């Protein structure tokens, strides 16, 4: 056999292998296509009001636009001319540059902030991709300017128009489509199309697991086990009722502070965000500081909890957990923490206790807590009547607010990072979801009882009842002004769920003479789960918790590193002398299960 014959035989063998791989991929695509059709058919038809704004918003926006056109046509024409001029100019520059084998940059590209969606060098160097990107940016800028110039709209309506306009802008990013995404095309070539087949498989898997909805999986569901490699701090369930389990954590010091601490996490998510892994576990750190710690793990409700309201959470949750902690430790008072919505409800609980002239709580700490909803921030979009009306109809039909709706809401507030970015990596690049504990927790969703969800949205968010007029419950009128015990509040600088300025306003209205407010760097989770060992995010302090939040920050002092040690000292000063460490199960409340318990393991349909 000659050398050329060997080469030809090798080429034929390679072609045969490629053909086999192609045929295998075609078979997989056919199978996946059938699964895709079947999965999409399982999508339930929810209330249309939960899919987008009501028609009245479109009408108001349209009327405002035409009002502007009638009263100031020159301004409208100027905007149109500027857009078409920029577009045509860039098109002509692109043609000229392509003839020279170069890419044409938009006139204002140098001034544009860095956008990680367009990190691939081809967005700058390749004429086609450069043109697509810059035409998209020009169109996005034109839409943003058109919305910003709308006049005559209520500020809340304008905020909603702006939000949905930005959703459209994000949706039509060229990175979201295979033909205009150089990263995905390069990967497809490198893998001979295997990445696209794997991407289709990832998409079908997500639609199947989300009951017909297309929501990208953010973290590898098989990488973590609650109680296995996350939520591993040693403790025991010592009490259980229909709404919660109370976990008492095992001491690691010979003595502990006399006054115990009870943490109330939000029931929108699961408590183990505070115990993801030993290195960043606030629960573990608190135990190491010598505190007797109890943590509430909430039940993941189903339709049988339809009539459970905030009253139930207060009576069967807060007051019961406080009673259990007091009985186990034989102490008259406890210190408490409320995180997010659990902090809001804690404020109502403190008001109720004041009305009842009961004093079982010595001090309260609030993490990223809103009690003043006069400014609804980024949630303005979802707190108007059309959306809340749809939620009310949905919970009347199902008994619960399915975690699916909460997941979508929070995801689309950060669509680039939580929807489109993961979708691109999974569906177009064919990548597996990362093994990221925080994103795993984020996807471990919980339902909300129907009555409680409506009470929260109508009474607390829309009516702002805790701060304005009072929140009627238990035959009492509850108000933040009744909160008169020492309080310590931690808010986060870039929190898009509980904006720090709104949190600050609520704290200033509390009746306590002893208030501490700390502003942590970072967001709703990272600003709280910020262990000292990381030396990552700093924080601001100012002893004068009064006035406007901007004034407070201007006079605040910045400190490097975590706020945990500062808060630990504050808590220790309110936790009494040292006593022998308490062991779970030794005070008349036998161990029912090892931490993290059983309720935390319950899954939803999403």
């Amino acid at each position: 056999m000659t050398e050329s014959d060997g080469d030809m035989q090798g080429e034929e063998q390679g072609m045969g292998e490629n053909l086999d791989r192609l045929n295998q991929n075609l078979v997989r695509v056919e199978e996946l296509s059938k699964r895709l059709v079947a999965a999409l058919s399982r999508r339930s038809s929810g209330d249309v009001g939960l899919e987008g704004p009501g028609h009245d918003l479109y009408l108001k926006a349209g009327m405002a636009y035409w009002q502007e056109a009638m009263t100031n046509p020159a301004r409208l024409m100027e905007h149109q001319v500027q857009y078409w001029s920029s577009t045509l100019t860039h098109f002509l520059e692109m043609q000229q540059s392509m003839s020279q084998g170069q890419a044409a940059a938009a006139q204002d590209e140098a001034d544009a902030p860095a956008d990680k969606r367009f990190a691939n060098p081809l967005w700058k160097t390749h004429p086609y991709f450069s043109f697509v990107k810059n035409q998209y940016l020009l169109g996005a800028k034109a839409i943003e300017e058109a919305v910003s110039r709308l006049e005559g709209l209520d500020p809340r309506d304008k905020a909603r128009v702006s939000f949905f306009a930005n959703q459209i802008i994000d949706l039509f990013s060229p990175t979201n489509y295979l033909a205009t995404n150089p990263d995905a095309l390069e990967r497809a070539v490198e893998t001979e199309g295997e990445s696209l087949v794997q991407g289709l498989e990832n998409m079908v898997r997500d639609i199947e697991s989300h009951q017909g909805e297309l929501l990208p999986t953010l973290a590898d569901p098989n990488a973590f086990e609650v109680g296995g490699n996350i939520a591993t701090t040693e403790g025991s369930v010592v009490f259980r009722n229909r709404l919660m389990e109370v976990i008492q954590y095992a001491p690691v010091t010979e003595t502990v502070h006399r006054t115990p601490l009870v943490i109330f996490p939000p029931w929108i998510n699961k408590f183990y965000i505070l115990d993801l892994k030993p290195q960043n576990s606030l629960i573990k750190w608190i135990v190491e500081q010598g505190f007797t710690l109890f943590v509430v793990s909430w039940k993941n409700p189903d339709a049988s909890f339809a009539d459970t309201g905030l009253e139930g959470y207060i009576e069967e949750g807060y007051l019961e957990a406080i009673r259990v902690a007091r009985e186990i430790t034989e102490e008259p008072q406890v210190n408490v923490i409320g995180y997010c919505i659990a902090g809001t409800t804690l404020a109502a609980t403190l008001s109720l206790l004041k009305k009842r002239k009961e004093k079982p709580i010595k001090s309260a700490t609030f993490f990223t807590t809103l009690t003043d909803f006069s400014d609804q921030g980024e949630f303005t979009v979802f707190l108007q009547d059309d959306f809340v009306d749809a939620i009310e109809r949905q919970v009347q039909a199902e008994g619960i607010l399915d975690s699916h709706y909460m997941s979508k809401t929070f995801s689309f507030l950060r669509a680039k990072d939580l929807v489109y970015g993961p979708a691109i990596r999974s569906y177009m690049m064919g990548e597996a979801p990362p093994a990221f504990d925080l994103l795993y927790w984020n996807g471990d969703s919980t339902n909300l009882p129907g009555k409680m969800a409506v009470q929260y949205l109508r009474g607390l968010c829309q009516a702002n009842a805790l701060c304005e007029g009072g929140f009627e419950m238990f035959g009492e009128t509850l108000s933040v002004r009744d909160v008169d015990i020492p309080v310590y509040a931690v808010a986060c600088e870039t929190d898009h769920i509980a904006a720090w300025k709104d949190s600050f306003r609520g704290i200033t209205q509390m009746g306590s003479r002893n208030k501490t407010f700390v502003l942590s760097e970072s967001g709703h989770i990272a600003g709280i789960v910020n262990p000292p060992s990381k030396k990552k995010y700093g924080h601001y302090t100012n002893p004068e918790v009064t006035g406007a939040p901007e004034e407070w920050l201007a006079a605040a002092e910045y400190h490097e590193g975590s706020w945990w040690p500062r808060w630990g000292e504050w808590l220790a000063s309110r936790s009494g002398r040292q006593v022998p460490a308490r062991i779970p199960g030794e005070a008349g409340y036998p161990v029912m299960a090892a931490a993290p318990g059983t309720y935390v393991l319950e899954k939803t349909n999403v």
Side-chain angles (χ1 to χ4, degrees), residues 244-509:
M244 66 169 183
E245 292 180 328
V246 177
I247 301 170
Q248 180 182 355
Y249 282 89
V252 296
T253 55
E254 291 186 5
T255 62
V256 293
H257 288 282
R258 179 177 174 176
T259 304
L261 175 65
V262 183
I263 297 181
F264 296 99
W267 49 90
I268 290 176
N269 295 103
K270 296 184 178 179
F271 82 91
Y272 65 87
I273 184 59
L274 300 175
D275 191 32
L276 284 176
K277 52 191 175 185
Q279 302 95 301
N280 63 0
S281 170
L282 179 59
I283 287 174
K284 181 175 183 291
W285 184 86
I286 288 172
V287 172
E288 290 173 345
Q289 308 314 301
F291 295 98
T292 300
L293 178 62
F294 298 86
V295 175
V296 168
S297 174
W298 300 103
K299 173 77 172 178
N300 191 358
D302 56 26
S304 67
F305 288 79
D307 294 326
T308 300
L310 287 168
E311 301 95 334
Y313 278 88
I314 291 175
E315 198 106 64
E316 300 175 60
Y318 287 74
L319 299 183
E320 273 292 272
I322 291 167
R323 180 190 63 80
V324 168
R326 291 170 64 201
E327 288 190 0
I328 287 176
T329 60
E330 299 183 331
E331 290 297 320
Q333 291 183 305
V334 301
N335 293 311
V336 293
I337 297 174
Y339 192 168
C340 191
I341 187 177
T344 308
T345 311
L346 174 59
T349 304
L350 291 169
S351 175
L352 177 66
L353 292 170
K354 174 73 178 295
K355 299 289 187 183
R356 292 178 174 178
K357 296 181 172 56
E358 298 176 11
K359 298 182 179 180
I361 299 177
K362 184 180 287 189
S363 76
T365 298
F366 296 92
F367 291 165
T368 64
T369 293
L370 296 179
T371 52
D372 183 346
F373 292 87
S374 56
D375 184 346
Q376 298 160 351
E378 294 190 39
F379 278 94
T380 297
V381 175
F382 300 105
L383 291 176
Q384 304 315 300
D385 278 337
D386 55 353
F387 193 74
V388 178
D389 288 346
I391 287 179
E392 196 160 5
R393 292 191 297 267
Q394 192 74 21
V395 299
Q396 286 174 352
E398 298 184 2
I400 56 172
L401 178 58
D402 195 294
S403 63
H404 161 74
Y405 298 111
M406 296 299 295
S407 297
K408 284 183 67 174
T409 298
F410 287 117
S411 293
F412 277 95
L413 283 172
R414 289 293 180 270
K416 289 180 185 177
D417 296 327
L418 296 179
V419 179
Y420 299 117
I424 290 167
R425 291 190 293 272
S426 184
Y427 307 151
M428 286 199 280
M429 306 293 287
E431 297 177 2
F436 188 7
D437 55 358
L438 177 58
L439 290 179
Y440 175 86
W441 166 84
N442 187 70
D444 192 6
S445 305
T446 56
N447 303 318
L448 298 179
K451 181 180 177 182
M452 173 266 142
V454 174
Q455 281 178 310
Y456 179 75
L457 294 171
R458 294 290 192 200
L460 297 178
C461 297
Q462 287 192 322
N464 194 26
L466 270 180
C467 286
E468 300 176 15
F471 190 53
E472 300 295 331
M473 193 179 293
F474 299 105
E476 303 284 357
T477 302
L478 309 182
S479 168
V480 293
R481 292 166 182 80
D482 295 324
V483 179
D484 59 358
I485 63 173
V487 298
Y488 196 106
V490 183
C492 301
E493 193 172 19
T494 59
D495 192 336
H496 67 286
I497 295 172
W500 81 265
K501 293 180 182 179
D502 303 333
S503 177
F504 180 87
R505 282 199 314 273
I507 298 299
T508 62
Q509 295 178 63

Side-chain angles (χ1 to χ4, degrees), residues 120-137:
N120 191 309
L122 287 175
W123 289 114
K124 287 186 177 181
T125 61
H126 193 281
Y128 169 70
F129 292 114
S130 175
F131 174 71
V132 168
K133 179 194 75 172
N134 289 312
Q135 288 293 331
Y136 164 74
L137 294 176

